[in-house]
Every structure is written in structure tokens, then in C-alpha cells.
Amino acid sequence: VGGTVNPDEWYVFKPTLAEGKESIIARTMGSKMLKMVYKKAGGTELVDTSAKEQNSWSISDQEVTDLAVIAVKIEKHYGRPMDIEWARDGDDGKLYIVQARPETVASQKKVGVLEDYKMLQKGGTVLTTGRAVGKRIGAGKVNILKSIDEMSKFEKGDVLVADMTDPDWEPIMKKASAIITNRGGRTCHAAIIA
């Protein structure tokens, strides 16, 4: 929630899904360092996951397929690509759709246009690696922010480096030439804004 977790990811091929055939074409295990659970006194809280949970898939392939079937129905109903969120209920263990909103990244790409970016200069020291959200290249002065309270230190064109971001960081993210975070999946709010 809010980009706090690097989640597991699955890619489902819709044409074979429609034919009732095996449709999961790729999957990547996320680190899943945290999970949201019910508090005994009410409400929810984030707690650390066990090593076993971190090294296990969060849902089964059958559950992925079931969610994909529901997602296709939701997209068909709205007539457009949708960003669909789901959750497992802590009481009954079932999966539920909790939110669906129009998808605003992939659906906005120009049809028939292929953008390809390459580094012109090679060499140098690689400081860090990770998983990219997009395919563009950003450059600028690195600006490490520990909290949103440091917003005034950020200048247009800086590279934003933070543990994680949420919607409150949007004014800074719009000024950033690139964004680097420790936490958050490729479809979290920060990734969508980026």
C-alpha cells in the first residue's frame, strides 16, 4: 500500500487467457519486506514479513489466473485499460478487488512509435542497480531527501533519491529528472507519476 512494498509480479497474456489456456508468461518475485495486517484493537498496521513469506509467492498461479479473468471483465465493462488493485482478506483468506481506475501510463503511449534510449558514454562506476519503471534516461545532481519536509532543498532537474514516495511527493517528482527509491513496485503511485 502506498508503494511501501516491492511486490511479486506476474505477466498474463490475454489472448491465451481468453482461450482458457495457460496464460502466465512471466513472473518476478518481489522482496515483500512488509505486509498489512489487522490490529487486535481495530484498524491495520504494517509488520515485517518472515523470511519464508519473502521467499514464497504471495498468491498461487491459479489465483493469478482468477484475478486476470476478473481484470479482463472490469476492462471490458469500462471499455478501456484499467489499473486494478486487489487484496487478500485477513479473516476469510479470499482475494477481493478493492479499487479500479483508468490506467494512465501504458495506454497513453503512441501507437506505432518506438522510443529507444541509449547511453552515449560508456564506462564509469556503477553506483547502484535496480528495476526500471520506464525506458528513458535521466541525469542531474543527486538530491537525497530523508522526508517530504526537505522539499525546499529540491531544485528542478535534480535526481530524487528517497527511501519511498507517496502522493505527497508529487510536486517534487514533477521537477525531478529521475527518481530512485528503495521501496515500491513498478505499478505503485510513484511509478505511475514518474
Side-chain angles (χ1 to χ4, degrees), residues 1 38 58-59 63-64 66-68 70-71 74 83-100:
V1 174
Y38 289 126
S58 53
I59 60 176
E63 289 172 318
V64 170
D66 294 345
L67 284 170
I70 294 167
I74 291 170
D83 181 6
I84 302 165
E85 295 181 16
W86 58 272
R88 183 182 303 278
D89 187 276
D91 290 330
D92 66 18
K94 294 180 181 176
L95 299 179
Y96 292 92
I97 302 298
V98 294
Q99 179 172 249

Side-chain angles (χ1 to χ4, degrees), residues 163-179:
D163 183 47
M164 65 169 280
T165 60
D166 61 35
D168 294 338
W169 289 73
E170 191 168 341
I172 295 173
M173 292 190 292
K174 287 185 174 184
K175 296 189 324 184
S177 63
I179 302 169

